[in-house]
Amino acid sequence: MHPHLKSLIELQSVDLRLIGIRDRLSRFPKRLAEAEGRVTAARQQVAAAKEALTTGQKERKTFELDVEQWKERAKKYRNQSGEVKSNEAYKALLHEIANAEAEVAKAEDRLLDRMVSGEEYDRQVKAAEAALKEIEAAVNKERQAIQAEYNATQKELTAAEAARAAAVAAVPENLVDHYERIAKRHGGIGLAEIRGEGCGQCGVHIRPHVIQQLQRGDQEFFHCETCTRILYYADHAAQGAPASSEPAAQSAGDSPAAGERH
Ligand SMILES: [Zn+2]
């Protein structure tokens, strides 16, 4: 294989690694935000439960007042019963007393209901507070794990960037530019392996004589006519065999200015 092509394949493999690393790095903010979101939601649950409890307490006071007022009224009517002169008026007063007493009973029922559900609200506040504590602890752990993973990924990035610099140094500058221009247009993938009789990236058929020349290792670059990627042929059957030292020697000879490139 053309020694520069071998170096380009090396570069491509580092670039693919970099794409993966940068992709993972870009997801960290969202992962953190999701974790924070769970804490926020739990806090809102506590706030909502507390508000329900407060509303319940206010209603309870209103219902207590209702009971008092209806009791007052019933008492007032009863006190009036000695003063009425006519049978008619007496009947009317009895009716008012019965009505007021019925209202007392209703208000007392409402108050009792409110007291029962007040206990329920109390229980809900305590449950929401306990859930919040649990979620906060879990998210704290998660945040630390995400941070550790982020640091490790940053280290991976630094290592891959160094590997890229080394890979770039092994390829003539104009060829790196050429490769990068193609890669930029095609999602970071500037090379395409021959698969069967086609381009391994876009699948288009490659003319047999091009494949033959690639297999022979001609000192010429071929591009896919459809996706324009630089084609290469990898002899997977021979990959188990020890690598020849020839390409490396040739590569070094072809790259006298390697140290100047970055
Ligand atoms: Zn193609």
Side-chain angles (χ1 to χ4, degrees), residues 3 27 33 48 53 66 68 85-86 95-96 101 103 119 125 145 157 171 179 208 220 233:
R27 280 186 224 154
L53 180 65
D66 275 357
E68 286 316 305
K85 312 283 185 239
S86 72
H95 178 74
E96 290 297 343
E101 276 168 355
E103 287 298 336
E119 282 165 19
V125 168
L157 178 67
V171 184
Y179 157 83
E220 199 183 336
Y233 179 82

Side-chain angles (χ1 to χ4, degrees), residues 192 198-206 223-229 231:
C199 167
Q201 288 297 327
C202 76
V204 81
H205 186 261
I206 304 293
H223 295 79
C224 171
E225 285 175 5
T226 300
C227 72
T228 76
R229 290 187 177 95
L231 294 169

Side-chain angles (χ1 to χ4, degrees), residues 176-249:
V176 173
D177 287 347
H178 181 60
Y179 157 83
E180 282 179 345
R181 266 200 302 277
I182 298 171
K184 209 172 264 177
R185 287 201 302 269
H186 296 292
I189 301 174
L191 296 189
E193 186 186 342
I194 298 286
R195 297 256 167 84
E197 293 176 348
C199 167
Q201 288 297 327
C202 76
V204 81
H205 186 261
I206 304 293
R207 280 177 289 151
H209 83 94
V210 170
I211 296 180
Q212 280 164 18
Q213 278 174 284
L214 282 169
Q215 282 171 336
R216 274 208 309 269
D218 283 7
Q219 301 283 309
E220 199 183 336
F221 284 104
F222 294 93
H223 295 79
C224 171
E225 285 175 5
T226 300
C227 72
T228 76
R229 290 187 177 95
I230 301 164
L231 294 169
Y232 69 96
Y233 179 82
D235 189 358
H236 293 291
Q239 266 179 7
S244 156
S245 63
E246 188 207 4

Side-chain angles (χ1 to χ4, degrees), residues 44-54 121-122 124-126 128:
Q44 281 165 351
Q45 289 275 326
V46 171
K50 278 184 177 168
E51 200 183 318
L53 180 65
T54 310
Y121 287 140
D122 220 30
Q124 280 175 6
V125 168
K126 284 194 179 96

Side-chain angles (χ1 to χ4, degrees), residues 82-159:
E83 302 160 15
V84 286
K85 312 283 185 239
S86 72
N87 222 1
E88 205 73 348
Y90 187 68
K91 261 187 182 170
L93 197 58
L94 280 185
H95 178 74
E96 290 297 343
I97 291 168
N99 181 50
E101 276 168 355
E103 287 298 336
V104 168
K106 275 193 235 168
E108 276 174 344
D109 280 351
R110 280 204 300 271
L111 180 59
L112 192 65
D113 276 353
R114 177 47 67 216
M115 283 161 84
V116 171
S117 53
E119 282 165 19
E120 177 59 21
Y121 287 140
D122 220 30
R123 200 191 58 75
Q124 280 175 6
V125 168
K126 284 194 179 96
E129 280 172 342
L132 174 62
K133 244 186 197 170
E134 245 173 64
I135 288 166
E136 273 177 337
V139 167
N140 263 339
K141 263 190 194 168
E142 202 176 323
R143 211 183 279 126
Q144 280 168 12
I146 290 173
Q147 188 61 50
E149 208 183 313
Y150 179 81
N151 294 346
T153 312
Q154 276 291 353
K155 269 187 192 162
E156 260 186 81
L157 178 67
T158 307

